[in-house]
Amino acid sequence: MRFSKLKLGIVAALLSVSSLNVVAKDFLNVSYDPTRELYENFNKEFGTYWKKSTGQELNFKQSHGGSGKQARAVIDGLDADVVTLALAADIDAIAEKTNLLPKDWQKKFPQNSTPYTSTIVFLVRKDNPKKIKDWGDLVKPGVEIVTPNPKTSGGARWNYLAAWAWAKHQPGGNEAKAHDFVRQIYKQTKVLDSGARGSTTTFAERGIGDVLLAWENEAYLAVREQPGKFQIITPSLSILAEPPVAIVEKNVQKDGNANVAKAYLNFLYSPLGQDIAAKNYYRPRNAAVLKKYSTTFKPLKLVTIDKEFGGWSKVQKKHFETGGIFDQIVKANNTQ
């Protein structure tokens, strides 16, 4: 018995619809160093939600590295559907150097497209042998510091700026004293890895250094994975780190992932998404979820990038571009 052309067309259409449920769709999140565990957990939950809602399987791909390096990879052609980087300046660079997303990308999601926050703390070895309690203790003679390189790592830039802000807020503090304090920190830095996870490995696995300047979530992970070996020191003042997220709009339009990308980032703001962030030691924006984890996240005085430094555009040019203050500090330390 032969099928009519109409019946063949119906069968082809049914096979096409069926294939949507069988062939998993690739989806790439380009993120920064310490978010591996967060997005492994998040992708499982979002994948379940998306399959239940649409019938479509997603094949999640994750890319991690220093935030600045990750931004450059997207600029150079890495086909990201979304970017979830360490700081707004890195996503701004993608917007400025390509047409992949609009320059007002930060208006697309709540809280300037930052669904969770973090801050900078110290990770020290068991019993805190160097008695480190605050930023000033880092520059005592004999203290060896581990922190990533601000030229490649977003977390490292938060570390640098938190130290600068603390020094300025001390009695008699000013720009010159902040400059000298940060210069001394890098003079006593033992290793400058390219990313935050690399620095954690240097400190925790290789046993180098007395103190690690770390994302709060990264410090908690180290304590959890190697119980009894480390402790977290929360300084008197730190910086409100706001890791932003964005859809790489040209890429998702090309790949047919626009709806997935929007739902994916919106899911970060959902109660479940916020709970996943908190379980991975990121501070959730949702007040009810944050209250649930109040014993984990200690209150501390936090300065903001906008009020303290005038925003990322100004900071990037002044401190981290070629010939900026960080380069001057490295050059001065190398000539001494």
Side-chain angles (χ1 to χ4, degrees):
M1 180 178 178
R2 295 183 177 179
F3 283 92
S4 68
K5 289 184 178 180
L6 177 59
K7 288 181 178 178
L8 285 171
I10 292 172
V11 170
L14 288 172
L15 287 172
S16 176
V17 171
S18 176
S19 69
L20 289 175
N21 299 331
V22 175
V23 179
K25 193 166 187 60
D26 288 344
F27 186 84
L28 175 59
N29 176 2
V30 173
S31 197
Y32 63 107
D33 248 348
T35 60
R36 290 170 174 83
E37 295 79 9
L38 167 62
Y39 283 108
E40 284 173 5
N41 298 152
F42 181 81
N43 289 347
K44 289 177 184 176
E45 294 293 345
F46 179 75
T48 299
Y49 158 79
W50 189 254
K51 177 71 181 295
K52 186 176 180 180
S53 301
T54 68
Q56 185 180 52
E57 293 272 5
L58 294 173
N59 178 32
F60 292 104
K61 296 182 178 181
Q62 296 176 218
S63 174
H64 299 273
S67 187
K69 290 179 66 176
Q70 293 293 82
R72 285 192 290 275
V74 175
I75 291 168
D76 291 340
L78 182 60
D79 195 19
D81 292 295
V82 297
V83 285
T84 56
L85 296 179
L87 40 86
D90 289 329
I91 303 181
D92 282 339
I94 299 171
E96 289 167 4
K97 296 178 181 179
T98 73
N99 65 346
L100 294 175
L101 69 163
K103 292 185 178 180
D104 67 345
W105 61 270
Q106 224 166 352
K107 297 179 180 179
K108 304 296 182 180
F109 292 92
Q111 282 101 16
N112 286 325
S113 292
T114 54
Y116 44 78
T117 69
S118 190
T119 190
I120 302 306
V121 298
F122 311 148
L123 188 68
V124 299
R125 304 195 185 280
K126 183 182 178 181
D127 298 325
N128 193 9
K130 293 297 177 81
K131 307 303 179 189
I132 294 167
K133 297 179 180 179
D134 209 345
W135 289 98
D137 298 320
L138 299 182
V139 296
K140 288 179 178 178
V143 174
E144 294 184 345
I145 301 165
V146 176
T147 180
N149 190 333
K151 303 293 278 191
T152 54
S153 167
R157 278 171 269 180
W158 289 117
N159 294 349
Y160 172 109
L161 294 171
W164 189 284
W166 178 86
K168 274 193 69 177
H169 280 256
Q170 298 314 294
N174 54 37
E175 287 283 304
K177 290 183 178 180
H179 185 287
D180 289 343
F181 177 71
V182 173
R183 183 189 60 78
Q184 188 62 35
I185 280 183
Y186 285 98
K187 188 174 182 179
Q188 293 183 214
T189 294
K190 192 73 174 175
V191 179
L192 276 178
D193 289 291
S194 63
R197 182 56 56 89
S199 286
T200 302
T201 299
T202 294
F203 181 80
E205 302 293 339
R206 296 171 60 196
I208 295 173
D210 301 304
V211 56
L212 171 70
L213 308 189
W215 290 99
E216 183 177 47
N217 60 287
E218 191 77 347
Y220 272 112
L221 281 174
V223 169
R224 185 179 74 183
E225 291 175 4
Q226 298 188 54
K229 291 188 66 175
F230 310 110
Q231 65 187 82
I232 296 170
I233 305 298
T234 302
S236 62
L237 179 147
S238 195
I239 195 162
L240 178 65
E242 298 177 292
V245 302
I247 297 171
V248 187
E249 296 189 8
K250 291 290 184 180
N251 288 349
V252 297
Q253 291 165 11
K254 177 189 65 178
D255 298 334
N257 281 346
N259 290 336
V260 184
K262 186 175 181 180
Y264 184 85
L265 296 187
N266 275 326
F267 198 71
L268 284 168
Y269 291 88
S270 71
L272 178 55
Q274 293 283 284
D275 195 70
I276 294 167
K279 284 178 178 175
N280 285 274
Y281 307 113
Y282 290 85
R283 296 186 179 221
R285 290 288 199 179
N286 183 298
V289 178
L290 181 60
K291 185 177 180 180
K292 179 181 172 183
Y293 291 89
S294 59
T295 57
T296 299
F297 300 113
K298 294 181 180 179
L300 73 162
K301 183 178 180 181
L302 296 172
V303 300
T304 67
I305 194 74
D306 289 337
K307 289 184 179 179
E308 190 72 23
F309 296 97
W312 271 114
S313 179
K314 185 175 180 179
V315 165
Q316 187 68 22
K317 183 176 181 180
K318 178 178 178 179
H319 290 273
F320 304 121
E321 285 189 359
T322 301
I325 292 176
F326 176 72
D327 283 354
Q328 296 166 25
I329 284 171
V330 171
K331 184 177 180 180
N333 284 342
N334 287 339
T335 56
Q336 290 181 351

